[in-house]
Amino acid sequence: MPTPDYEPARGSTTVVSGRWLRYEPVPGFHRFYEGYLATVTGWWNGAVEFTLDRQAVTALAQTFTAMADHVGGDWRTVDFDGHTLTVTRPVSLGGGVHRAAPDDGGRYRIGWGLPWRPVDPTRCDRIFGRP
């Protein structure tokens, strides 16, 4: 798995995931339930910012919804209606709503200040999206 200082170049394709999708099937070996095939657009506060296609955005939104159902409504912060991705920040984090429509290439800009990380694709159970 890449080290935390692994920073793929802007414009490159990588698989990204978050710690909240990580699990440890055996001590010391980490896997991710999901990864998303992304195009890197830059870095902000040490976290990668990237674009995803519609398939990956759909999977990402479904994952956040499933997590909300499992751990509580505070996770219900991401919604996707098939065209617009809506991210709602909880009041405890300053509140606000961010809406993202696809760019001319049909890709959605992701980052949101969350600690997304480039990960080794062989450590993902499922990978969504296309470059």
Side-chain angles (χ1 to χ4, degrees), residues 5-21:
D5 60 349
Y6 170 64
E7 294 185 2
R10 182 175 298 191
S12 66
T13 301
T14 191
V15 174
V16 298
S17 195
R19 289 187 65 127
W20 56 94
L21 294 169

Side-chain angles (χ1 to χ4, degrees), residues 60-121:
L60 183 142
Q62 290 171 347
T63 297
F64 271 83
T65 297
M67 291 173 76
D69 292 343
H70 181 70
V71 300
D74 290 346
W75 278 88
R76 195 171 309 282
T77 58
V78 179
D79 187 44
F80 184 58
D81 66 9
H83 181 265
T84 302
L85 179 66
T86 303
V87 181
T88 306
R89 289 181 55 180
V91 174
S92 62
L93 296 176
V97 175
H98 172 76
R99 289 183 180 82
D103 63 17
D104 291 340
R107 300 184 67 80
Y108 295 81
R109 189 172 179 94
I110 308 293
W112 316 323
L114 291 176
W116 297 102
R117 292 274 187 212
V119 298
D120 181 343

Side-chain angles (χ1 to χ4, degrees), residues 35-58:
Y36 307 98
L37 193 56
T39 300
V40 176
T41 59
W43 294 83
W44 184 74
N45 276 351
V48 66
E49 290 188 333
F50 50 93
T51 62
L52 296 177
D53 69 0
R54 183 178 174 167
Q55 178 204 34
V57 166
T58 300

